[in-house]
Amino acid sequence: MTLEGKIALVAGASRGAGRGIATELGAAGATVYVTGRSTRAQRSEYDRPETIEETAELVERAGGVGIPVQVDHLEPDQVRGLVERIEREQGRLDVLVNDVWGAEKMITWERKMWAQDLDKGLRTLRLAIDTHIITSHFALPLLTRQPGGLVIEVTDGTTAYNSDNYRVSFFYDLAKVSVNRMGYTLAEELRPFGGTAVSLTPGWLRSEFMLEIYGVTEANWRDALAKQPHFAISETPAFVGRAVVALAGDADRARWSGQSLSSGQLAQEYGFTDVDGSRPDAWRYVVEVQDPGKPADVTGYR
């Protein structure tokens, strides 16, 4: 599948799903603007070593054009300047991926809302929700100049799962549900312009942060199964990246508009695989195996 000539903006591409998405868009031949706060010269409050420059280099090595731009997506003037630059340099925007997050370290798991740090909770909502709104506000006028634009709201959990399950923390739960809803509401507003919007969730992501938590690398990630057997259903960031490429390359993608999608679901539809050749269907696995407390067994799920 080729996306040569297409211009994409991946907001929040320093690491994790954003990095995987940007890289796979590059592998399909797209020009990708890679944004985030973390650069080689300056770390964000998230204080991780990954940078937008590294992601842009991965895009280039994959075969695309990677353009790193340091942007705090909570700052309207910076986002406005970013979109003006894309307009000046490219004259169009075909794909917008809202993946900004960076609040893992602020989440207090399994503690009541009133026992959590209020400032951190509100900061979580700003990072998860306001960033997406601000980015779309400035980017969508450019994206809607020609029909066919695609907006992807990256979240955690499908609408169906998040509607029926408490996500273990008030602020986290609210953040992820809100992003899912954005995919639906933006679809309604983009439809008259021939645009498509969806929300998209990876499964259990083997991000840099998650691998570090389990003390493993991508090369030996299965060693983490001794600590958490259900980690067997996990997937690389490339998997959700390939889901985005599949959507961007589908001339009939409008059929998905407004829906809540998962990487595993789209792999079944489009036939792409993770880097190991498997198709992990994490959210079906979570509902049918993990949540009911069954022993870990990915047979039939990847």
Side-chain angles (χ1 to χ4, degrees), residues 273-292:
T273 68
D274 204 346
V275 296
D276 63 357
S278 70
R279 295 190 179 99
D281 194 352
W283 291 102
R284 187 166 63 88
Y285 176 89
V286 167
V287 170
E288 297 176 5
V289 180
Q290 184 172 324
D291 284 357

Side-chain angles (χ1 to χ4, degrees), residues 51 82 99 149 202 215:
T51 68
L82 166 68
D99 182 58

Side-chain angles (χ1 to χ4, degrees), residues 73-292:
H73 286 264
L74 279 174
E75 297 296 331
D77 287 344
Q78 292 186 32
V79 180
R80 181 189 292 109
L82 166 68
V83 175
E84 289 174 349
R85 174 177 173 179
I86 296 172
E87 180 180 17
R88 184 171 62 252
E89 295 177 352
Q90 311 296 337
R92 62 184 295 143
L93 179 63
D94 301 291
V95 180
L96 168 62
V97 180
N98 276 321
D99 182 58
V100 182
W101 168 234
E104 281 98 339
K105 296 180 180 180
M106 297 184 188
I107 300 295
T108 305
W109 303 105
E110 299 178 345
R111 183 180 295 180
K112 301 301 183 186
M113 183 268 279
W114 55 90
Q116 297 189 39
D117 184 293
L118 181 59
D119 289 338
K120 288 183 178 179
L122 295 177
R123 178 71 174 172
T124 295
L125 297 182
R126 290 217 69 208
L127 288 168
I129 300 173
D130 290 13
T131 53
H132 292 221
I133 295 171
I134 291 167
T135 304
S136 291
H137 177 83
F138 290 106
L140 293 187
L142 180 57
L143 183 135
T144 54
R145 283 190 183 174
Q146 59 278 322
L150 173 64
V151 177
I152 295 179
E153 291 288 336
V154 181
T155 187
D156 176 29
T158 63
T159 294
Y161 187 84
N162 289 348
S163 294
D164 294 339
N165 293 273
Y166 167 55
R167 299 307 308 276
V168 200
S169 171
F170 174 87
F171 294 104
Y172 188 85
D173 187 297
L174 185 57
K176 299 309 178 182
V177 168
S178 298
V179 175
N180 267 328
R181 187 65 181 181
M182 284 187 209
Y184 174 81
T185 55
L186 287 177
E188 292 296 312
E189 300 202 355
L190 287 172
R191 193 167 287 116
F193 300 92
T196 297
V198 301
S199 63
L200 176 63
T201 178
W204 196 337
L205 193 70
R206 293 202 298 275
S207 64
E208 301 88 350
F209 184 70
M210 186 58 63
L211 291 171
E212 188 174 282
I213 285 176
Y214 285 118
V216 295
T217 66
E218 181 56 33
N220 70 336
W221 69 269
R222 290 184 179 277
D223 290 351
L225 305 190
K227 184 182 296 184
Q228 173 48 270
H230 291 300
F231 197 55
I233 198 61
S234 64
E235 63 195 55
T236 73
F239 195 50
V240 70
R242 293 172 181 181
V244 171
V245 169
L247 287 170
D250 184 356
D252 191 32
R253 61 182 167 272
R255 73 186 190 275
W256 299 109
S257 201
Q259 295 187 44
S260 166
L261 308 170
S262 71
S263 51
Q265 172 192 1
L266 292 180
Q268 298 301 319
E269 174 73 19
Y270 290 105
F272 62 85
T273 68
D274 204 346
V275 296
D276 63 357
S278 70
R279 295 190 179 99
D281 194 352
W283 291 102
R284 187 166 63 88
Y285 176 89
V286 167
V287 170
E288 297 176 5
V289 180
Q290 184 172 324
D291 284 357

